[in-house]
Amino acid sequence: MSDAYHDTRLALDPKRGQVWRALWRYWFSKRIRPEDAVLDLGSGYGDFINSVTARRRVAVDMWPGLAEHVAPGVEPIIGPADRLETLDDGSIDYAFASNLFEHLTQEQFAATLAVLKRVLSAEGTLTIVQPNYRYAYREYFDDYTHVAVYSHISLADFLAAQGWEVTEVRPRFLPLTVKSRLPTWDALIGLYLLSPVKPMGKQMLLVARPRRAGGAA
């Protein structure tokens, strides 16, 4: 995305890093192993990947400014998510994409999924966090770069149609944006993740893995 987008819709905000550090502590650290290789697609300022503790960390974004914001030890790749030629087959254990696929056409999304099938290890997974149109329809197109619409149902169906097995669906995972009125204290984020009630929960989380030959995952 252009510098203009990062200056307006996605301006640098210390709260974003604070939120991702809390999410790492209370959620992702329980799902990512220290020996894993982690790939962050559409990394932006690197807030997610910078918070991760893992053997290898790779960040991908079209924005050239990515390289200036990732932490030491994170490998930046400047380019589209469907062009990962520098990554070896089976080299990634945990792929992650936050607020990316609503910015891509379905053709680009499908191409990215095809590339991920190549780079993921045998037990590798893809975790997606993005707006759930069912709950965020009023604000969805306030972002002028959104080109695709998904609910937790249509996103799961699209993944299945591309040869993926969806293993987890959380329709209301997080509030839509760090600009929400909810406080961003670490402990409150932890309680929010545990609570069965999600006020302002408009972002979904899905986990999927490639469907292997013969129907085995």
Side-chain angles (χ1 to χ4, degrees):
M1 294 180 185
S2 68
D3 288 338
Y5 182 84
H6 287 79
D7 291 340
T8 54
R9 288 292 306 176
L10 195 63
L12 185 63
D13 186 343
K15 284 176 60 179
R16 191 179 295 110
Q18 180 183 349
V19 167
W20 281 111
R21 286 189 293 273
L23 289 170
W24 167 255
R25 177 180 178 184
Y26 292 108
W27 186 270
F28 292 100
S29 65
K30 299 173 175 60
R31 290 157 175 81
I32 296 174
R33 302 168 300 181
E35 64 268 26
D36 282 342
V38 179
L39 172 65
D40 183 15
L41 298 169
S43 189
Y45 292 98
D47 293 302
F48 167 75
I49 199 68
N50 287 347
S51 72
V52 169
T53 299
R55 171 179 60 85
R56 185 185 184 190
R57 296 178 294 168
V58 182
V60 177
D61 204 288
M62 291 282 291
W63 180 49
L66 166 69
E68 302 171 12
H69 291 277
V70 293
V74 175
E75 305 168 35
I77 297 176
I78 307 303
D82 60 355
R83 298 290 300 273
L84 302 175
E85 292 91 346
T86 59
L87 296 180
D88 293 336
D89 294 2
S91 61
I92 298 297
D93 303 296
Y94 191 99
F96 178 75
S98 172
N99 292 265
L100 171 63
F101 295 126
E102 68 270 27
H103 299 276
L104 306 184
T105 65
Q106 286 196 350
E107 291 76 14
Q108 291 170 323
F109 189 2
T112 301
L113 292 173
V115 170
L116 288 175
K117 285 183 179 180
R118 178 184 67 79
V119 302
L120 282 176
S121 63
E123 301 299 322
T125 61
L126 167 65
T127 296
I128 300 171
V129 174
Q130 69 182 56
N132 187 336
Y133 189 77
R134 177 168 295 195
Y135 306 117
Y137 60 90
R138 289 185 178 89
E139 310 97 326
Y140 201 87
F141 288 109
D142 287 350
D143 189 325
Y144 62 89
T145 64
H146 285 184
V147 299
V149 172
Y150 298 99
S151 71
H152 60 284
I153 295 173
S154 62
L155 182 57
D157 285 348
F158 185 82
L159 288 165
Q162 301 302 317
W164 290 68
E165 177 192 5
V166 178
T167 60
E168 184 175 3
V169 178
R170 294 180 180 267
R172 291 181 181 267
F173 181 61
L174 290 172
L176 187 61
T177 170
V178 296
K179 298 175 184 178
S180 74
R181 297 189 298 274
L182 293 178
T184 56
W185 306 325
D186 280 19
L188 285 180
I189 291 174
L191 290 172
Y192 186 92
L193 292 169
L194 290 172
S195 174
V197 179
K198 295 287 193 290
M200 302 174 68
K202 298 183 179 183
Q203 293 225 46
M204 55 187 164
L205 178 144
L206 282 81
V207 180
R209 58 188 178 185
R211 192 180 304 119
R212 302 303 180 186

